[in-house]
Amino acid sequence: ITNQGIDSNLVQEAINNINQLPELRIDFENQDIPNQSMLLGPINQLMETFVYLVTETCYWQPKTHLTEKIFKPIVLRMPFVLLGPAHSLEYLRSYGFKTFSEFWDESYDSVADPGLRVQAVVDILERIAGMSHAEQTSMRRDMKNIIDYNFDHLFQTLRPIVVDEFVTNLSAALREHSVAYSAADLGQLYRAMVN
């Protein structure tokens, strides 16, 4: 990244790396696939894939920021590789989710250089593509506990964590701006949002 913005050479390098993976790409030829990130589709094609490559909104920026995109493979009960800013997996794990470090090298998450980070992800995808169907099936079976845990965590235990973070941040913002509030009211807000 330069002071003027994103280095066009890094962008082209990333595109070249991704284009080396034709066997991993889904062909949506002659299909109208709307570019709306909130959609969870096309389901049939997604369910035919082994791993979900999550391409987060932020990638080049040096910050951690997760969107709805990371939750799509969790809802679909799929393993995922997260292509986002450095430390995105670490940030996801801070919310109690599990990732797939026992199945592939997730050290890419700590790589600061965006070009090297995308190359590390390409290496993971190439390794998966080189596996036999039997090897992928066995790996998928071994991932079931993580996949099920993440699904359950999203729908059963994440809400109080996120609501607590929201109420804590709201309280801090109100104090910072000298806005009078009742701790009891925030407690009531928390209870209402958790239930």
Side-chain angles (χ1 to χ4, degrees), residues 29-127:
E29 188 175 318
N30 300 322
Q31 292 187 29
D32 182 23
I33 307 298
N35 185 16
Q36 297 176 333
S37 63
M38 74 286 211
L39 296 178
L40 193 67
I43 298 293
N44 291 340
Q45 288 87 350
L46 287 172
M47 298 314 295
E48 292 174 5
T49 63
F50 176 80
V51 64
Y52 194 116
L53 175 61
V54 179
T55 53
E56 266 299 350
T57 301
C58 295
Y59 179 75
W60 304 99
Q61 301 82 351
K63 67 180 210 169
T64 52
H65 177 78
L66 299 175
T67 67
E68 82 290 343
K69 293 172 186 67
I70 186 55
F71 300 109
K72 290 179 181 184
I74 293 170
V75 168
L76 292 169
R77 294 182 185 253
M78 294 179 69
F80 56 84
V81 175
L82 177 56
L83 190 58
H87 310 292
S88 293
L89 284 176
E90 179 183 337
Y91 186 47
L92 181 67
R93 287 189 296 265
S94 77
Y95 281 95
F97 289 97
K98 295 181 180 181
T99 60
F100 300 92
S101 61
E102 66 187 90
F103 301 100
W104 48 72
D105 182 5
E106 290 185 337
S107 65
Y108 71 87
D109 188 51
S110 61
V111 175
D113 181 280
L116 295 176
R117 192 167 58 254
V118 77
Q119 182 57 57
V121 168
V122 167
D123 292 345
I124 291 168
L125 297 176
E126 286 179 333
R127 183 178 152 257

Side-chain angles (χ1 to χ4, degrees), residues 97-166:
F97 289 97
K98 295 181 180 181
T99 60
F100 300 92
S101 61
E102 66 187 90
F103 301 100
W104 48 72
D105 182 5
E106 290 185 337
S107 65
Y108 71 87
D109 188 51
S110 61
V111 175
D113 181 280
L116 295 176
R117 192 167 58 254
V118 77
Q119 182 57 57
V121 168
V122 167
D123 292 345
I124 291 168
L125 297 176
E126 286 179 333
R127 183 178 152 257
I128 293 169
M131 296 170 67
S132 70
H133 180 71
E135 290 170 321
Q136 289 178 352
T137 301
S138 176
M139 181 185 281
R140 179 63 187 258
R141 191 176 315 114
D142 293 342
M143 294 174 163
K144 184 176 180 348
N145 288 339
I146 293 172
I147 291 167
D148 290 344
Y149 169 86
N150 284 340
F151 182 88
D152 293 342
H153 181 63
L154 177 64
F155 288 104
Q156 296 174 11
T157 57
L158 181 63
R159 187 178 190 130
I161 295 168
V162 174
V163 171
D164 182 60
E165 180 182 47
F166 169 74

